[in-house]
Amino acid sequence: MNASNFGLNKIITVAPHDWCCSSSQLRHISKPVSGENLDLCAIVNELRSVLQTIKYGAGLSAVQIGIPFRIAVVNITKQSDKGIILIDPVLVAATGRLTARSEGCLSLPNYKGKVRRRENIVVKTFNLDGQEITIKTNGYEAAVIQHELDHMGGLFYWDRMENGQRPEPIVVKKSHEGQI
């Protein structure tokens, strides 16, 4: 199975009014890669390619482009040759304080919401050579990885928002140049 089988370059989105999206394929738990006949390089390259075209994106899970497997890429620097590849990742530890950050999602464009996530994480995952590796990271990168892990588990960031809060539309402020 390779990336061209999936009609990619199209991020699956949910309607703003359908917060539960119970029927969405994004709510399905992603399948493990282990034992599957997948062209991982093609899938990872497609994820990187799609993510690179989105100015504000920092991570993308395979399920978001119609591939129901536990694969994601995270690239907070937006440098095409950098970033983290996650293949069958497992969160081993999440420590430190819970930090509230404003999160958005490529599957719900133009919305954001406050989510509290652990500051430090350790993830065991596989690289493209099939070797198990351990990733230790913190801060924003840790939050992005946790967000992508949630996608693999059928969750959205608003499932983690407190007190029944819901995502809010992103308001773009217009410039009033020349006005006094």
Side-chain angles (χ1 to χ4, degrees):
M1 187 179 294
N2 64 41
S4 64
N5 295 112
F6 294 100
L8 302 181
N9 276 333
K10 194 170 203 177
I11 295 175
I12 299 167
T13 58
V14 296
H17 62 276
D18 187 15
W19 300 119
C20 68
C21 356
S22 57
S23 62
S24 173
Q25 64 188 18
L26 295 171
R27 283 288 187 195
H28 295 258
I29 296 173
S30 297
K31 298 183 275 189
V33 169
S34 178
E36 296 290 334
N37 184 21
L38 299 172
D39 184 343
L40 292 175
C41 286
I43 293 169
V44 166
N45 286 338
E46 185 66 21
L47 288 168
R48 283 178 166 162
S49 174
V50 172
L51 186 59
Q52 195 65 31
T53 66
I54 302 167
K55 181 176 160 183
Y56 53 86
L60 184 63
S61 195
V63 70
Q64 290 178 274
I65 57 172
I67 302 173
F69 292 97
R70 294 183 58 78
I71 306 168
V73 295
V74 172
N75 188 341
I76 64 172
T77 67
K78 298 303 281 182
Q79 295 176 7
S80 61
D81 61 340
K82 303 292 182 200
I84 295 172
I85 298 168
L86 301 167
I87 299 172
D88 281 345
V90 175
L91 183 64
V92 175
T95 61
R97 64 187 171 107
L98 284 168
T99 302
R101 286 186 174 82
S102 182
E103 286 192 20
C105 183
L106 300 176
S107 290
L108 183 67
N110 304 313
Y111 281 78
K112 64 180 180 176
K114 285 270 191 219
V115 178
R116 292 167 34 108
R117 297 193 186 272
R118 291 288 175 188
E119 191 66 21
N120 309 301
I121 63 168
V122 178
V123 175
K124 285 199 183 259
T125 189
F126 291 91
N127 63 21
L128 285 172
D129 296 323
Q131 298 169 318
E132 186 176 59
I133 59 172
T134 301
I135 298 169
K136 296 178 183 178
T137 190
N138 60 11
Y140 178 60
E141 189 170 68
V144 174
I145 290 172
Q146 290 170 81
H147 179 107
E148 299 312 322
L149 291 171
D150 278 351
H151 274 302
M152 293 177 197
L155 298 173
F156 292 99
Y157 73 88
W158 54 87
D159 295 324
R160 300 221 183 257
M161 293 175 67
E162 296 179 349
N163 303 322
Q165 294 177 335
R166 292 290 174 221
E168 297 288 331
I170 294 172
V171 177
V172 179
K173 295 181 181 178
K174 295 182 181 179
S175 173
H176 296 288
E177 288 182 20
Q179 293 184 359
I180 299 178

